[in-house]
Amino acid sequence: MEKGRILLAVTGFHPQRWRELLSAEREVVLEPDGASDPSITYAVVWKQKPNLLSSLPNLRAIFSIGAGVDHIFADPGLPDVPIVKVVADNLTQYMTEYVVWRVLDHHRQGLLYRSQQPKKIWHEPQQRPAGDISVGIMGLGSLGRAAASVLLSLGFAVNGWSRTDKTMEGVATYSGEAGLIPFLKATDILVVLLPLTPETKGIINYGVLKELRKRNGLGGSVLINAGRGRLQKDADILRALDDGTLKEASLDVFEVEPLPKTSPLWGHPKVFVTPHAAATSDPVHLAPIMLRQMDAFERGEKLDNLVDRKAGY
């Protein structure tokens, strides 16, 4: 199978480093030579322009630069070729670090201590052991399972919820619509790592948040969203924080990104904001994985980490 060119179609960041690394083995272009460029065999994308890929006759596969693939499905002219999602050790490590960092910060009363420091208040609140705190992870894919493993090693009780039945040693698992409320009622710190699909859009709303366990060792329930911004309703999170339904929140993703300067989430005393930085895609690690997949595919081998089009992830 002859090597064709890679179309690198990204928006929102500079493509130069990706282009340099992919060009080590293949010719890379930022635009096709016309709508029906026959030389393009692979597309490496992030929020590509609509219909850019629709008429490329020799396109064999699409690779997502980020962990999410909802941006690919937003293209109305998406061709019927395999879509490969990112699964890489360093990306998993970054996400695990973020989740564990935020869980520990909430568990060890970080917000309270930060509020005390400028007031020079010397006060130690009661600290409960990790085993008294239940962390519920929505999304038991590779990222969720890695985070769950580390949290278990630290002594936390861990629950998991997913759309379909999944099991993991040491984790109390729930699934589907019937399992959602029982999962929430057993959860003190809710960690959201779900993919964005039509079924999960807006799932983190006030009705869901009010089902979290409030009488717990933390003095209230906590939300951590490091998944996708449109999984949540920003206004519902604010409502839940203001009326005490939520004690605190750590948010890495938002309905609109960058988060508008007018958003009250920026200055809310109970919110910790990061700029979609939980697990940044590193081209040094990811570009070689993509190139190896392309080579293997051309040898007749199957692509790894294929997206299920019906499920949307």
Side-chain angles (χ1 to χ4, degrees), residues 133-258:
I133 308 301
S134 176
V135 181
I137 300 176
M138 293 185 82
L140 281 180
S142 58
L143 298 179
R145 296 171 82 87
S149 179
V150 175
L151 291 168
L152 285 170
S153 74
L154 293 172
F156 289 98
V158 180
N159 304 322
W161 181 86
S162 51
R163 266 184 50 187
T164 57
D165 289 338
K166 292 184 178 179
T167 60
M168 180 175 177
E169 186 175 355
V171 176
T173 56
Y174 304 78
S175 64
E177 186 176 348
L180 182 56
I181 299 302
F183 162 78
L184 294 167
K185 289 187 178 299
T187 292
D188 305 320
I189 300 177
L190 178 63
V191 176
V192 184
L193 295 175
L194 290 168
L196 179 63
T197 68
E199 291 74 26
T200 61
K201 183 178 179 182
I203 192 171
I204 306 303
N205 53 48
Y206 188 81
V208 160
L209 296 173
K210 72 178 182 180
E211 298 294 344
L212 290 167
R213 188 163 62 187
K214 297 169 186 62
R215 298 185 65 181
N216 56 40
L218 293 172
S221 53
V222 172
L223 169 66
I224 300 170
N225 188 3
R228 311 298 292 167
R230 286 184 292 160
L231 293 170
Q232 71 189 33
K233 297 285 188 181
D234 291 1
D236 286 16
I237 293 173
L238 284 163
R239 176 187 173 190
L241 289 164
D242 290 340
D243 71 11
T245 297
L246 278 179
K247 179 190 176 191
E248 301 168 5
S250 286
L251 303 175
D252 185 56
V253 291
F254 306 88
E255 285 186 88
V256 177
E257 295 183 3

Side-chain angles (χ1 to χ4, degrees), residues 251-313:
L251 303 175
D252 185 56
V253 291
F254 306 88
E255 285 186 88
V256 177
E257 295 183 3
L259 183 63
K261 295 184 185 298
T262 55
S263 172
L265 289 168
W266 279 114
H268 199 289
K270 298 179 182 179
V271 178
F272 186 88
V273 171
T274 48
H276 204 143
T280 302
S281 297
D282 183 350
V284 172
H285 289 86
L286 300 183
I289 293 174
M290 293 177 181
L291 290 169
R292 285 197 297 271
Q293 282 252 60
M294 294 173 194
D295 289 343
F297 189 48
E298 289 166 2
R299 292 194 301 267
E301 299 173 24
K302 291 183 179 180
L303 291 165
D304 295 326
N305 306 312
L306 284 175
V307 171
D308 182 332
R309 282 177 174 261
K310 186 175 180 180
Y313 58 90

Side-chain angles (χ1 to χ4, degrees), residues 47-65:
K47 298 181 179 179
Q48 74 277 9
K49 296 175 184 176
N51 299 306
L52 179 66
L53 311 178
S54 60
S55 58
L56 299 174
N58 294 320
L59 186 67
R60 296 168 186 156
I62 301 168
F63 291 80
S64 175
I65 278 178

